[in-house]
Amino acid sequence: MNTRFGLATLAAGAAALSLATPLAAQDQPAAPRPAMSAADLVTMPRLGAPSVSKDGNRAVYSVTTTDPESFARSSDYYLHDLTAAHAAPVRLDLGGPASSVMFGGDGWLYFLSDRAVSEGAEERSRLWRVQLGPQGVAGAPVLAADLTAGIDGFALAPAGGAVAVWAEIARDCPTFGCEGDGNAHLPGPGDGLLYEGDAGFVRHWDSWETPGTYSRVFVFGLEDGQVTGEGRALDGAAGAGGPTGDTPTKPFGGGEDVAWAPDGSGVYFVARETGADEPISTNLDIWWSDLSGAAPTNLTAANEATDALPTPSPDGRYLAYLAMARPGYEADRMVVQLRDLATGQTRALTQSFDRSVSSLAWTPDSRFIVATAQDVLDTPAFRIDPRDGSVERLDLMAGHEAHIGNATPLAGERLLFTRDSIGAPPELYLSRGWEQAEPLTDVASTRVGRLASITTERFTFPGAEGDTVWGQITKPENAEGRLPAILYVHGGPQGSFNDGWSTRWNPRVLASQGYAVISVDFHGSTGYGQAFTDAINRDWGGKPLEDLQKGLAAALALDPQIDGERACAMGASYGGYMMNWIAGQWPERFDCLVQHDGLFDMRSFYYATEELWFPRWDFGGSYQEQTETYERWNPVNFVDRWQTPMLVVTGQKDFRVPYTQGIQSFTALQERGIPSQLLVFPGENHWVLGAKNSLQWHDTVFAWLDRWLKPDSE
């Protein structure tokens, strides 16, 4: 039996401000608010993660805006007083372009910039600092570090006195940058890259590897805000016992992979060893460097699965971190581990909590750990007691928690965090006493409030094997007439179309075009316990397809406004695979399909992708070892059944699902005379990130859907 969950979940888009209106105008009917457009999505201001001062009284955050004419993007930074009610943000003039802005222990702001330091000086990223006053910036920015290599990122010691910086540096280079870095290991005389068979990744995500060069971290002293000394490599000298690999880890690692001890005595960092096993290994380890220059210590050598997110307690007694149990499985449950730094004893703190933790932060008094984790369609915050591992879900928002991120505990039982949902982009919130929070920012809320509203309804139904499966229906509020259906299939496949904002696959902007968007968290999705996530293993086209079929039927039965006779389906990555699979397994159901970066031929995919641990786990081994399983769920084997019009989208820099998979599916469509289009982005990877490209993606997708679902529209 389907279960409804209150429509109060979302009526997103109601005006955020009460505006004074002349009496004569009050008698006039309100002008209808425009539907959200692709241009609205692309140019919507974007809030960045906050950085908080050491005393917890001030926060700095970025707001990225997109010019509606040129689509050029730029970021401004704002200072917010966290002690004053209804404080207005103060825009900071940092004297030019800036990134990675954060507070230092001395109260100054530190940031990276590639601005010119003098006429004719080499363009590269350098570390700067600027002093703050009550009204913002007090004085001009000062250069803090001008090193031989450009700086990709940095982490400041909590008490000041030192900084860790990282960049692409040859492994045999003892300093932060050597002559010829980046090409010293190229054989020449041409520009060819020569790879050894045991060298690890050849290419990763969207970049070719440079042999012998890795993202490496060096620590320098800081005196009066100026870098001093030669710098010491956290990984130690080449061949001395430290790791050879990237820190931060690639392709998505950042500052969370580098954590200072509270007293500045050393640094914890995450690395995966390169070599022949790198493409099949999820063995990220946490290392400790005492800054002596000696080889670091591997603290998690006993675990051959992922260890990540080193988070020392402020009192220096414990190291919290996340760990998976099964080597080779990137979607295993992340369990909080607690290491007693005095004894070296480690215990699994959240072993009985059947959710996968995604972030960690200690309260300033080291009493609690605040974590986030997907839970059904929300990503709430949880408070964990390190004494006994008890986990309490925090109620920070009226209604659904939606997506909580960047959780930062502050003194006085305060919690700073961002929150977003299907209906609205992230804003900054502050909770006091662990109670429901108040908004601090209005980066995009008012702008969203000027657009026509949408509603999102959650529902459940009995899916494959009788298991409860969740879904959502997003559609225009107060829409007249019946609405064509769009079945929205998420990627991963271990992922979720949960209640969160997206700048790419956004249910609100699609629904605003006059559609009912139906998403289903099929078997394999995250947020429902590890057994549910594991259920897709070696069953890519089985239970997930059954869930999608039953979920679509459940949504149509639940909401009579949805016109199931006019329906298209769309998805990317695994969702794109599912479009190719549906084309052969459910060929008469949809008027059209949109397939973005989807897997078409499992054999050629296996031999061209980079992170081989992923197919090897999901299909039980290599293609050679498990040929029957790969071929059982291989869309190319059912091309003879294809008949549904399909739009194919791919990026030429996509090394995860190489663009040739899209070419192959398009060729199959052409050979069978099926109406089709191919949209190729030469400069994009697995995602479409560029502003103009995003606009083109949406315009092309909307036109394709309208062609098959609204043939009589203009």
Side-chain angles (χ1 to χ4, degrees):
M1 180 178 178
N2 293 328
T3 305
R4 286 188 110 128
F5 290 81
L7 283 172
T9 303
L10 261 185
L17 300 178
S18 176
L19 303 177
T21 308
L23 291 177
Q26 292 181 8
D27 297 330
Q28 303 298 319
R33 287 174 284 154
M36 185 179 185
S37 68
D40 289 322
L41 176 65
V42 172
T43 61
M44 192 70 66
R46 302 179 182 184
L47 175 70
S51 173
V52 179
S53 60
K54 187 176 180 179
D55 59 10
N57 292 334
R58 296 185 293 178
V60 168
Y61 57 86
S62 66
V63 175
T64 300
T65 55
T66 304
D67 185 274
E69 301 297 329
S70 68
F71 293 97
R73 286 182 171 142
S74 59
S75 295
D76 289 316
Y77 290 85
Y78 294 86
L79 179 67
H80 203 107
D81 186 344
L82 301 179
T83 64
H86 311 297
V90 177
R91 182 180 176 277
L92 300 175
D93 181 4
L94 299 181
S99 63
S100 303
V101 178
M102 66 183 69
F103 278 100
D106 55 6
W108 288 52
L109 279 186
Y110 289 75
F111 60 91
L112 298 179
S113 178
D114 60 1
R115 67 188 65 179
V117 293
S118 62
E119 188 174 348
E122 180 184 347
E123 251 188 46
R124 61 173 179 266
S125 180
R126 298 171 171 88
L127 182 64
W128 298 74
R129 66 195 288 259
V130 68
Q131 192 173 19
L132 294 180
Q135 302 303 317
V137 170
V142 178
L143 189 62
D146 186 3
L147 304 175
T148 305
I151 302 170
D152 292 337
F154 68 98
L156 296 159
V163 60
V165 297
W166 53 88
E168 296 291 316
I169 306 290
R171 185 61 180 92
D172 57 7
C173 178
T175 59
F176 191 76
C178 290
E179 185 177 354
D181 251 355
N183 59 20
H185 297 267
L186 305 184
D191 59 0
L193 298 166
L194 180 64
Y195 298 94
E196 298 294 339
D198 60 356
F201 284 120
V202 171
R203 59 184 189 174
H204 202 183
W205 187 246
D206 60 6
S207 302
W208 289 89
E209 297 290 324
T210 300
T213 299
Y214 306 94
S215 179
R216 300 177 59 207
V217 186
F218 287 71
V219 169
F220 291 84
L222 271 181
E223 293 183 7
D224 297 325
Q226 302 296 308
V227 161
T228 62
E230 291 294 319
R232 289 181 172 175
L234 294 189
D235 52 7
T244 295
D246 293 305
T247 302
T249 55
K250 293 181 180 178
F252 304 124
E256 72 280 358
D257 284 345
V258 180
W260 280 91
D263 61 0
S265 60
V267 176
Y268 303 94
F269 65 98
V270 181
R272 172 176 42 226
E273 188 71 26
T274 190
D277 289 340
E278 185 179 20
I280 62 173
S281 170
T282 59
N283 187 17
L284 275 64
D285 279 312
I286 296 174
W287 296 74
W288 162 255
S289 170
D290 62 6
L291 310 183
S292 67
T297 302
N298 188 347
L299 301 181
T300 57
N303 182 28
E304 295 182 356
T306 294
D307 300 285
L309 216 61
T311 310
S313 61
D315 62 11
R317 294 179 59 192
Y318 299 103
L319 177 70
Y321 63 95
L322 301 180
M324 296 181 178
R326 290 175 282 183
Y329 187 20
E330 67 175 34
D332 201 7
R333 182 165 61 108
M334 280 287 207
V335 176
V336 180
Q337 310 289 320
L338 194 67
R339 181 185 180 93
D340 186 315
L341 294 175
T343 67
Q345 296 296 310
T346 301
R347 58 191 172 100
L349 199 59
T350 58
Q351 190 63 48
S352 61
F353 177 56
D354 194 16
R355 292 294 184 266
S356 188
V357 174
S358 55
S359 70
L360 292 176
W362 288 88
T363 55
D365 59 2
S366 301
R367 178 63 185 83
F368 293 105
I369 298 170
V370 176
T372 56
Q374 288 184 7
D375 186 23
V376 187
L377 293 168
D378 295 311
T379 305
F382 298 87
R383 188 172 63 179
I384 302 170
D385 191 331
R387 297 175 300 184
D388 57 14
S390 58
V391 180
E392 175 189 0
R393 177 171 163 151
L394 298 176
D395 181 12
L396 300 175
M397 303 296 301
H400 295 296
E401 298 296 287
H403 179 250
I404 303 295
N406 300 297
T408 307
L410 308 175
E413 295 189 336
R414 296 173 299 154
L415 182 66
L416 186 71
F417 62 92
T418 57
R419 189 259 190 183
D420 59 275
S421 66
I422 286 177
E427 298 287 0
L428 194 60
Y429 288 79
L430 182 64
S431 164
R432 292 180 172 86
W434 308 108
E435 300 294 330
Q436 290 192 355
E438 62 182 28
L440 298 182
T441 61
D442 182 6
V443 170
S445 296
T446 295
R447 180 166 170 175
V448 169
R450 298 191 183 109
L451 302 173
S453 301
I454 55 97
T455 62
T456 293
E457 183 176 8
R458 301 180 177 189
F459 67 99
T460 63
F461 60 93
E465 301 182 349
D467 294 336
T468 298
V469 177
W470 286 77
Q472 297 182 109
I473 301 169
T474 301
K475 65 181 186 179
E477 189 178 33
N478 302 320
E480 297 181 359
R482 305 198 72 196
L483 299 171
I486 305 294
L487 181 62
Y488 229 36
V489 184
H490 70 68
Q494 295 90 354
S496 170
F497 263 140
N498 56 6
D499 191 355
W501 185 259
S502 173
T503 57
R504 295 178 292 112
W505 284 71
N506 186 295
R508 174 171 183 149
V509 73
L510 181 56
S512 296
Q513 311 313 303
Y515 295 109
V517 181
I518 302 162
S519 61
V520 173
D521 271 2
F522 47 80
H523 279 80
S525 299
T526 50
Y528 305 90
Q530 194 59 41
F532 192 84
T533 300
D534 293 347
I536 197 173
N537 189 260
R538 309 187 199 192
D539 193 31
W540 265 37
K543 290 187 289 295
L545 178 59
E546 183 179 343
D547 291 340
L548 292 169
Q549 292 171 328
K550 291 181 175 179
L552 178 59
L556 296 177
L558 181 66
D559 190 338
Q561 188 178 28
I562 305 175
D563 184 357
E565 297 301 313
R566 292 183 294 155
C568 288
M570 57 191 293
S573 196
Y574 173 83
Y577 161 88
M578 185 53 71
M579 297 305 103
N580 289 330
W581 188 246
I582 283 173
Q585 303 296 321
W586 202 8
E588 298 180 355
R589 179 61 187 89
F590 295 102
D591 295 281
C592 74
L593 302 170
V594 178
Q595 184 262 95
H596 184 149
D597 291 339
L599 292 75
F600 171 77
D601 177 20
M602 302 308 295
R603 179 181 180 180
S604 60
F605 162 78
Y606 179 85
Y607 287 110
T609 193
E610 12 83 282
E611 292 183 351
L612 287 171
W613 64 72
F614 166 64
R616 289 167 73 99
W617 182 273
D618 273 25
F619 290 85
S622 69
Y623 180 83
Q624 184 179 13
E625 294 165 339
Q626 295 290 337
T627 302
E628 183 179 348
T629 305
Y630 282 89
E631 292 301 335
R632 180 184 181 186
W633 307 117
N634 196 348
V636 72
N637 293 331
F638 303 95
V639 164
D640 61 321
R641 304 178 187 175
W642 283 26
Q643 65 182 48
T644 311
M646 183 186 294
L647 167 64
V648 180
V649 185
T650 188
Q652 279 186 247
K653 295 179 69 176
D654 184 358
F655 300 157
R656 182 62 43 85
V657 181
Y659 75 90
T660 49
Q661 293 287 304
I663 298 293
Q664 292 171 42
S665 59
F666 187 61
T667 298
L669 293 160
Q670 289 176 298
E671 285 192 339
R672 294 185 58 77
I674 300 171
S676 56
Q677 289 183 341
L678 173 66
L679 177 60
V680 180
F681 290 102
E684 298 287 359
N685 54 34
H686 202 53
W687 304 331
V688 176
L689 302 176
K692 291 181 179 180
N693 288 343
S694 178
L695 185 62
Q696 184 181 6
W697 185 95
H698 283 89
D699 287 345
T700 304
V701 169
F702 293 168
W704 182 255
L705 297 176
D706 288 351
R707 172 179 169 180
W708 301 103
L709 298 179
K710 303 177 184 177
D712 298 328
S713 64
E714 294 183 4

